[in-house]
Amino acid sequence: DGYRARAAYKLKEIDETFRLFRPGQVVVDLGASPGAWSQYLRRRFAPKVAGVGGAATGELDGTIVALDLLPFEPIDNVHFIQGDFREDAVLAQLEAALGGQPVNVVVSDMAPNLSGIGSADAARVAHLVELAVDFACSHLTPDGALVAKVFHGAGYDDLVQLFRSQFQAVKPSQPKASRDKSSETFLVGRGLKRRP
């Protein structure tokens, strides 16, 4: 279908289950490289126009901002920022790209380079998910949503609790497109809880 990675089908399944995306939204794609999720979003926001290699081209009804530490082959009308969004300079670029628009959905396929040492890897995964939650809580509309990749194992229950502390509705999703032996799960949080 012209996608850069099979990950596109995971997001497609999540979208079909939870109906997260519709034209006109503002979406931030964290850990975006190589770009399959942004490609899927691009098609959702311009469903009638398919270009070369399956990528939608032309007018985009919505805003997609993609970030990653790794390079990213350009996608038409997707704003890509290379860098670490924990850094103020990168966050400033992101704020500029959003132009003051609140974000409807944050998607995070971020994963650390795994060492094979369970406890260290779990801590790295948890840290990235915590960053995604913090970012989402600062930028989402009140009824916005966050989709973040997590792994079953040490720390999983803590991450579910973190989601529940911030979102009104939290559901796990294990797309069929994930590899059979994969321990990855995606947590979907919807509707920010009101701050006291």
Side-chain angles (χ1 to χ4, degrees):
D1 294 330
Y3 287 123
R4 296 175 183 177
R6 58 186 283 149
Y9 298 104
K10 300 174 193 177
L11 191 61
K12 182 174 187 284
E13 282 185 58
I14 292 167
D15 184 24
E16 287 169 352
T17 301
F18 296 98
R19 301 181 182 276
L20 293 173
F21 308 111
R22 58 188 178 280
Q25 289 179 323
V26 177
V27 180
V28 174
D29 182 0
L30 301 174
S33 192
W37 279 19
S38 286
Q39 281 181 307
Y40 174 75
L41 293 166
R42 181 73 184 80
R43 292 188 200 185
R44 286 287 280 124
F45 291 177
K48 294 179 183 166
V49 194
V52 179
T57 58
E59 282 300 307
L60 177 68
D61 184 6
T63 302
I64 303 167
V65 182
L67 288 100
D68 204 296
L69 291 168
L70 301 172
F72 182 96
E73 205 58 42
I75 296 173
D76 191 36
N77 282 336
V78 172
H79 187 108
F80 176 65
I81 299 165
Q82 185 170 355
D84 185 338
F85 78 100
R86 293 171 295 182
E87 295 174 5
D88 290 343
V90 175
L91 203 50
Q93 287 182 62
L94 175 58
E95 304 285 357
L98 291 172
Q101 301 176 93
V103 178
N104 299 105
V105 188
V106 174
V107 294
S108 171
D109 199 20
M110 291 191 293
N113 292 324
L114 299 177
S115 65
I117 301 166
S119 58
D121 288 343
R124 287 187 182 128
V125 168
H127 181 57
L128 291 178
V129 174
E130 288 161 7
L131 289 172
V133 170
D134 283 348
F135 177 82
C137 289
S138 301
H139 294 84
L140 282 177
T141 58
D143 62 347
L146 168 64
V147 178
K149 177 159 69 180
V150 300
F151 294 92
H152 269 284
Y156 174 77
D157 291 340
D158 291 339
L159 293 174
V160 172
Q161 285 305 115
L162 172 65
F163 262 68
R164 287 190 175 139
S165 73
Q166 302 296 335
F167 294 96
Q168 294 173 26
V170 177
K171 293 275 172 69
S173 177
Q174 283 187 294
K176 293 185 180 71
S178 293
R179 297 181 193 280
D180 289 342
K181 294 181 180 174
S182 173
S183 65
E184 73 179 10
T185 297
F186 295 89
L187 288 178
V188 180
R190 303 185 84 160
L192 290 174
K193 288 190 171 176
R194 291 184 183 277
R195 296 286 178 267

